[in-house]
Amino acid sequence: MQPRKRLINWLGLLGVVSFISYMAAVIFAPLAYPGYDWMRQAVSDLSADNAPSLNLWNQLSCLYSVCAIVSIMMVCVYIQGRLNKTIRVGIYLFAAMNWVSDVGYGLFPLSKAGYAGTFQDIMHTYVVTVGVVLLAILSLVLIIIGGCKEKAYKALAIWAAIILGFMFVGAIGGNLAVNGILPKSCFGILERFSTCSATAFNAVLGTYLFIRGYGRKNEKTIQTTAKGKR
């Protein structure tokens, strides 16, 4: 019999709400951007300072950032003493990636669609994006390694591997499209593999928190805590 769900478990569902809010913005914000080509253009063009779709994007994605942060932080709180150290560090880094993404892109949105070369655009593209990508990759690799160590966590490792695969397809494919090796007309499609996958993994972690609760606390942690209370 599964233990009764607590508030912290229910808050994991905010990861799913975040994903739905983001996907709604990605799918419907182009309706307010005449001439926008989702197959060719980046998602970030929809929220650029001069984008006609900016207001609609902000409305549709209003739950994206806040729900993602609350969900991943609840996961970080709940996994204390659970899983194994490698997975925990991976999830903490994934939480850090969410913070860098939320704060960084909030401070440095694109000045206009495409790349105008301003300080704001440089920070958006070469500082925030690089930081987000590196943190995401490192966190997923650690979760995969930690998940493969123990049979009970292999499903989580598989999810992380799938998401990492999508990220590589998006990052490598997008770079090849920018450099003309692949058709530039498919850049937007490839870029969405990366941008949507990170949000999807937030939903996965939140769903784990709601449904499975990441298992019981490790016996070693319980014993250490008990000794500390004596």
Side-chain angles (χ1 to χ4, degrees), residues 52-70:
S53 57
L54 179 59
N55 285 339
L56 181 57
W57 173 274
N58 288 337
Q59 290 172 330
L60 293 173
S61 65
C62 65
L63 295 175
Y64 159 57
S65 294
V66 63
C67 288
I69 292 296
V70 172

Side-chain angles (χ1 to χ4, degrees), residues 4 25 56 72 80 83 90 93 97 127 133 137 147 150 195 200 203 223:
R4 184 179 177 182
L56 181 57
I72 192 63
Q80 293 293 309
L83 304 173
L93 288 176
M97 181 276 294
V127 178
V133 170
I137 291 174
E150 299 180 49
T195 56
Q223 292 173 3

